Amino acid sequence: MPKRNGKTFEKSVNLALQGGGAHGAFTWGVLDRLLEDGRIYIEAISGTSAGAMNAVAVADGLMRDGEDGARQVLHDFWQAVSDVGRMSPIQRNVIDVFMGNWSLDNNPSYMFFDLLNRVTSPYDLNPMNFNPLRGILESTIDFDRVAVCDKMQVFLSATNVETGRVRVFNRAEINADVVLASACLPFMFHAVEIDGTPYWDGGYMGNPVLFPFYRTSDSDDIVIVQINPVVRKGTPRSAREILDRVNEITFNSSLLKELRAIDFVHRLLEDEALDSQAYRNPLVHIIECHENLKNLGASSKLNAEWSFLRHLFEIGRGAADEWIDRNYSRLGVASTVDIRAMFQGIGADHQG
């Protein structure tokens, strides 16, 4: 059984954290519940964009004060996001607040900047390359602690602009620039240069990447915290709905490819076409709450109101709590996601 800070854990997992802007507060809630549980050892985290921010917060916090420290740093990070967000001109209007609508679609500033981003480069709109996330990261995360974190592995992904390939940064390479690169949407920010190479959001090529777990982690269990829904019924009609769905498909495509590869290995092992001693058999799990998240418009990913972040946090905690109750006993034993059914279009994609 794994141990950390003199504490013994019953199960060990790898966590794969998707990006999704403010919706990353859902992942904050999931992490808070997993860290609180006390039985689950997080052996490694792979994160992209908002998932990368959650990942470095956990690594920093574990080094400060174990699981309690990780929960505190996560809270402080998202509180800082909300504090800075108060200065944004993009806020919900009075009617949306009254109606409980979390999207920003009706905000004139959002509509203006949304249109401007489609016809103007961030190099023209933001020539000084101002990014409020840099200040938030540098004030809440101690990257020196992250770099020497010996409590778990950390992998962050970004997309190499020149080659179109994913670059995975390990914990010793991680700093604020790496996190910003992982979260760099090219229509909003300048590409982030690291050692002379420009990078965009890691979600284009790995949201998040799973393959680093295979050679660096002893645990076979991969728990994906999924923010972006794979399935969305109906045909988008408006220009905004079409663009939002294209983005969802794009940012899920790399993950689906890796899941398909895992299923292929499963099939070969079942058919005894591969040596089970030579090949890992990853066990896949997903924590999500698409019924709550899919109705949130894409613009709500820019909503940094504390009430909204706490709303997502509570949804995340509830989803993790339900997942633990249903699936804890199967960790280390079997996958709780039927990957094959996902690709066959069968309605339910979870086992048990």
Side-chain angles (χ1 to χ4, degrees):
M1 292 185 179
K3 293 184 178 181
R4 181 161 55 215
N5 298 334
K7 181 178 180 180
T8 301
F9 296 81
E10 297 177 5
K11 306 273 189 173
S12 65
V13 300
N14 303 299
L15 294 181
L17 313 181
Q18 278 198 327
H23 293 188
F26 168 83
T27 302
W28 165 32
V30 171
L31 292 169
D32 188 80
R33 180 64 185 89
L34 294 177
L35 290 162
E36 178 189 64
D37 186 79
R39 297 173 295 169
I40 302 173
Y41 179 86
I42 301 172
E43 192 160 325
I45 286 184
S46 171
T48 297
S49 196
M53 298 174 198
N54 281 317
V56 295
V58 172
D60 180 16
L62 285 176
M63 291 295 288
R64 296 189 194 197
D65 189 25
E67 283 71 25
D68 290 339
R71 296 175 69 194
Q72 186 62 52
V73 175
L74 282 164
H75 174 278
D76 293 347
F77 170 79
W78 286 102
Q79 179 74 71
V81 169
S82 178
D83 290 344
V84 171
R86 291 197 192 105
M87 308 301 172
S88 172
I90 303 177
Q91 305 283 347
R92 288 188 298 161
N93 61 34
V94 175
I95 295 175
D96 283 331
V97 172
F98 178 76
M99 298 297 293
N101 177 18
W102 296 109
S103 81
L104 303 171
D105 291 345
N106 299 319
N107 176 276
S109 295
Y110 172 77
M111 290 188 285
F112 173 74
F113 284 112
D114 183 50
L115 178 62
L116 209 57
N117 282 336
R118 300 185 193 196
V119 296
T120 309
S121 162
Y123 293 86
D124 299 322
L125 283 176
N126 184 12
M128 301 304 293
N129 197 24
F130 172 71
N131 188 337
L133 283 173
R134 179 178 293 278
I136 295 171
L137 287 167
E138 292 178 345
S139 65
T140 58
I141 306 297
D142 186 331
F143 285 98
D144 289 335
R145 283 199 186 100
V146 175
V148 299
C149 177
D150 58 357
K151 309 300 181 182
M152 67 177 187
Q153 300 281 344
V154 183
F155 305 101
L156 307 186
S157 58
T159 301
N160 185 315
V161 177
E162 296 174 332
T163 66
R165 297 174 181 171
V166 67
R167 164 79 185 274
V168 179
F169 296 86
N170 62 45
R171 60 192 173 194
E173 300 173 303
I174 293 171
N175 54 30
D177 282 339
V178 170
V179 179
L180 291 173
S182 183
C184 179
L185 292 171
F187 299 108
M188 296 180 65
F189 302 110
H190 297 201
V192 178
E193 289 200 5
I194 300 173
D195 297 329
T197 301
Y199 291 94
W200 283 340
D201 195 296
Y204 291 110
M205 296 304 295
N207 192 24
V209 292
L210 307 181
F211 63 83
F213 298 141
Y214 307 150
R215 294 187 178 276
T216 62
S217 173
D218 291 330
S219 175
D220 289 327
D221 290 273
I222 299 174
V223 180
I224 301 167
V225 182
Q226 191 170 36
I227 294 175
N228 302 298
V230 174
V231 177
R232 187 180 290 276
K233 298 294 185 181
T235 303
R237 299 290 183 180
S238 71
R240 181 175 293 162
E241 289 173 342
I242 292 169
L243 181 61
D244 291 347
R245 186 54 183 153
V246 167
N247 285 334
E248 283 181 342
I249 293 170
T250 300
F251 284 116
N252 273 322
S253 61
S254 57
L255 175 62
L256 292 176
K257 287 179 181 178
E258 287 207 71
L259 290 176
R260 190 181 291 276
I262 289 174
D263 181 56
F264 182 62
V265 172
H266 284 176
R267 288 173 181 266
L268 292 176
L269 288 171
E270 288 173 2
D271 296 339
E272 298 184 351
L274 289 178
D275 182 357
S276 61
Q277 300 300 315
Y279 287 86
R280 304 272 308 255
N281 187 20
L283 307 178
V284 180
H285 319 272
I286 294 178
I287 300 178
E288 48 83 11
C289 195
H290 293 331
E291 288 306 309
N292 292 91
L293 297 182
K294 72 180 182 182
N295 294 323
L296 298 173
S299 66
S300 67
K301 293 181 179 181
L302 297 177
N303 186 346
E305 293 175 56
W306 184 240
S307 57
F308 181 50
L309 300 181
R310 288 292 305 186
H311 172 67
L312 292 170
F313 168 83
E314 294 298 341
I315 293 174
R317 273 191 60 91
D321 192 57
E322 180 182 348
W323 180 85
I324 290 170
D325 286 345
R326 188 174 66 246
N327 297 310
Y328 178 80
S329 63
R330 299 174 69 178
L331 288 175
V333 178
S335 292
T336 56
V337 173
D338 189 342
I339 302 175
R340 206 160 301 170
M342 290 175 64
F343 291 109
Q344 292 172 346
I346 297 174
D349 59 355
H350 291 75
Q351 297 177 355

